Structures are given as structure tokens and as C-alpha cells.
Amino acid sequence: MTEPAALKLKDMLKKPEILTSGHRMCAGCAAPTIVKLMGMALRGPTIVCEVTGCLEVATTIYPYTAWKLPWIHVAFENAAAVASGVIEAVDVMREKGRWSKEHVDVIAIGGDGGTFDIGFGAISGMLERGHDIVYMCYDNGAYQNTGIQRSGGTFPGQETTTSWAGKVSPGKEQRKKPLAEIVAAHRTPYVATVNPYHHRDFITKFRKALEVEGPAFIHAFSPCPRGWRSQTGKSMELAKLAMEVGLHPLYEIFNGTEYKMSGPSRRLKELRPLDDYWKTQGQFKHLFKPEWADFKKSLQEQVNDDWEILKKKCGIE
Amino acid sequence: MVNEVNIDPKSRADMPTTSYSKPVIGATGKTGSWRTFTPQIDYDECSRCRTCWLHCPEAVISLDEDGTPHIDLDYCKGCACCAEVCPKKCIAMIREGFDEEESV
């Protein structure tokens, strides 16, 4: 029943893509790549539940869909709750003899709006109930689908249409929610952060998430050329850069306590300056004005501190 | 095969009598019309490493037996992700309607 995860290129070639071409995602959006990599980690029959978001709106315009998997969309806030319902329904159907398959994996996917803010209660409930679900958040840093409004996943200093940068404000001033760690605090069996550039790392972690008993959470970083005002072709590089500057370090958390830094992040000798990341995107261009020099410095210090704390948690000196 | 799509009309009887969507290629029509820059692969330089295939968000790159990539221009949106991730830098982005010399 269980298919191995496609970790070698040779095996990846054999895995069929789970999202067809010709969907409505923007050119250069990294979310379809994330879904593609997710498809390579699957181990058999899978049901996907999705919250409202770019990926849902753009890939499933009734009566068409680009998904080659059983796929369900309900409301913005309850993908995690629906996924729990799906698992329970499968159990009941199996008892009644209406379910022939041995095992089914249930995956819930949400954007950062649907995960950090709107659907957070449902996720917390899912984690508490301990349903065997993989929740993946593809984090593009704002409500990009409805017009780039700020979310809990927006970086400080990021300009959005509800956190304009100008004379009085440098964009969003608050910190980003440390979602992976909040989820881990539920004593979730497995939490990991990933990005689409490091594909092998992505597939390995997703597979671990599927195999673990109980809920698992994957936080995927997904560059958005439209909202970030970046070049469409740079999406994969931005994903890598975010890891190198320490904005989206790659790590795993087991059972909420055991931290493990992943290869790409562990191999970093030191973080690259945040300027390298900011100058690639139009949404950070105001930070290079002299009036925000102090703010910029404080953000750099914030990231450096977070990185040191994370290293300590992972046991790296 | 993971989750084989069954769009055979005979098997449709197994589906519940409710509204559902069937997976199709080109759910939004030919998205290739969005393109401003067209990728062009230099096959002499290409090392068949398949990196472009792996990172293409649109899943329009198909591979031959030996790994030679081919781009389906009906659906390619011209995002240039393939050109950027290519380790050999052998994918050029040519502006639609221009010759190679005038490329940006």
C-alpha cells in the first residue's frame, strides 16, 4: 500500500504531478511548486482539504479543477476542522464496510491568512484532538488573494495595503507570529519549516509529517511576486535567500520540545545581512530611506536575536 | 501511481449525485497568452539535470527518456523561474515577437 517517498531524482520523475497546468495562479508564484513537491512525498490515497486563499481560488474554478486528488474546500476558517471531520467520516465508513482502502492520508492546506489569523482556532482544536492530519501552511506573507492586506504572517517592515509605508510608518511594525513554535507548544508530534528551493529537505520533511502518528504541521515559505513586488523568476531564489538571512530558518520540532536544525540552515556559517533580502523586493524599498535607518537596525537585531535563540534551542553553539 | 484520476464515463456512476469538478488541464484556458517572455532552451548547453522541471510552478516542463526538457508553450506563463534556477544558465527569456538578438 505504502509507496516510498520520491527522494531520488529518478523516483521523482515517476511521480505524477498532482496539480495540472493551466491554472490561474500568477506567473512565478511558488505555491504550485510547493504542491508539486508535496505530491512527491505522498504515500498512497490522499484527501486534501483547503481553506480559502490564492491556491484555492486560482486552481478550482467551478466546474473545473486543476487538482488530481480528492479535494474539498469549505470556508476560510475551518480547513483543520473539516479535515478532522473527513478522518472521522472515513472511520465510520470503514466500520460500516463502505470503505475498501486500508489507509488514507488527510492533508489540510492553508495560506498564511487562513492559518495565522482566521483559521487559528480550528487548527488549535485539531492539534488538541490529536487527529492524524498534516496541516501545511504556505506562507506568502499577506492576504495576497484579496489585495495584499497585512496578516499575522507579514514580516515587520513589509508594506501592504493595510500597512502603508510613508512619513509616519515604516510598513508593518509588529513582529511576525512564531507559528511553528506556537503549534509545537501544543506538543504536536512533528513540526517543520520548509521552502520550495530546498526540495529534498521539503520532501523528506513532508514524508515524515505523513508518517508520524497524530497531527503534524508544515510551514512552507512561498514567495509571491505580485504582492512582494519582486521579479517573477526570482521566486525560488527568494525562498533560499529568506533562509540565508534568517527570516525563515529551516528546522524541525519533535513532540514540541526537541529542536533540530535542518541541513541548509545548519550549514550557514553566519546570516547574510537583511539588506540582501530587502533590496530584491519593492515592498521593502522604503526601508532604504534615511528616516527608517534606526527601524531597519532594530529589525536586523531582532532577526539576529531570534537566530541565536533558535541555535541555542537546537543545541548549536 | 498515486490517486489515479478516473474520468472514464463508466466510472462516473460511482460518483455521488452532487456537484463536483473534474480535473482538467487548462482549467482557465490557455494561460500561455499571459506570457511576455518566452523561455528558450539551449539544448547544446543543457546538462539534463532536470532542475527546471522540478521547480516549474506551472508543471509545463515535460522530460524525455534521457531528461531533455520540453516546455509546453500553450500553458507556460513565462515566469522565468526555470531560467533562474538553471545551473548552466542555458534558458534564455526572449521577448514575445522579438528575435534572439533583441532579447532582454
Side-chain angles (χ1 to χ4, degrees), chain B residues 12-52:
Chain B
R12 210 163 290 164
D14 299 339
M15 292 297 287
T17 48
T18 179
S19 53
Y20 64 91
S21 307
K22 294 179 288 292
V24 287
I25 291 177
T28 335
K30 304 237 158 149
T31 46
S33 62
W34 301 12
R35 196 170 60 238
T36 323
F37 295 94
T38 306
Q40 209 169 64
I41 304 170
D42 183 349
Y43 286 107
D44 297 335
E45 275 287 307
C46 174
S47 65
R48 274 70 172 165
C49 70
R50 307 169 177 101
T51 310
C52 55

Side-chain angles (χ1 to χ4, degrees), chain A residues 142-300:
Chain A
Y143 292 85
Q144 310 290 6
N145 165 46
T146 48
I148 320 163
Q149 288 88 5
R150 115 195 230 296
S151 77
T154 306
F155 287 120
Q158 195 168 330
E159 183 181 33
T160 66
T161 53
T162 46
S163 63
W164 288 109
K167 283 191 186 120
V168 290
S169 165
K172 180 177 164 175
E173 291 170 60
Q174 297 80 6
R175 289 179 75 107
K176 177 173 176 157
K177 251 189 215 181
L179 192 69
E181 289 177 79
I182 295 173
V183 170
H186 290 75
R187 294 295 170 105
T188 309
Y190 186 73
V191 175
T193 59
V194 295
N195 73 36
Y197 182 85
H198 297 97
H199 51 86
R200 194 151 298 162
D201 179 71
F202 187 116
I203 299 167
T204 319
K205 284 175 176 170
F206 205 96
R207 184 61 182 222
K208 266 190 209 170
L210 285 170
E211 279 169 357
V212 85
E213 283 290 320
F217 183 83
I218 301 275
H219 185 184
F221 191 75
S222 170
C224 167
R226 176 68 192 84
W228 295 8
R229 273 83 165 140
S230 60
Q231 280 180 33
T232 55
K234 297 273 183 202
S235 292
M236 300 305 148
E237 275 183 65
L238 283 178
K240 179 174 165 234
L241 204 52
M243 185 275 291
E244 287 173 343
V245 300
L247 283 174
H248 190 84
L250 301 180
Y251 57 92
E252 299 166 289
I253 310 172
F254 302 93
N255 299 317
T257 45
E258 206 181 311
Y259 281 67
K260 190 180 166 217
M261 191 83 87
S262 311
S265 267
R266 203 177 48 232
R267 282 193 290 273
L268 288 180
K269 291 212 170 59
E270 57 183 12
L271 294 181
R272 281 174 69 172
L274 273 171
D275 281 3
D276 288 0
Y277 180 70
W278 285 332
K279 72 185 176 202
T280 56
Q281 298 158 52
Q283 62 175 355
F284 289 115
K285 67 173 188 295
H286 55 277
L287 291 176
F288 292 94
K289 287 183 185 156
E291 62 255 47
W292 301 124
D294 288 345
F295 180 67
K296 210 167 82 167
K297 224 171 124 192
S298 73
L299 295 187
Q300 180 71 63

Side-chain angles (χ1 to χ4, degrees), chain A residues 197 233 236-237, chain B residues 51-52 55 80-89:
Chain A
Y197 182 85
M236 300 305 148
E237 275 183 65
Chain B
T51 310
C52 55
H55 287 289
C81 280
C82 52
E84 290 286 341
V85 296
C86 179
K88 289 271 206 171
K89 297 283 169 220

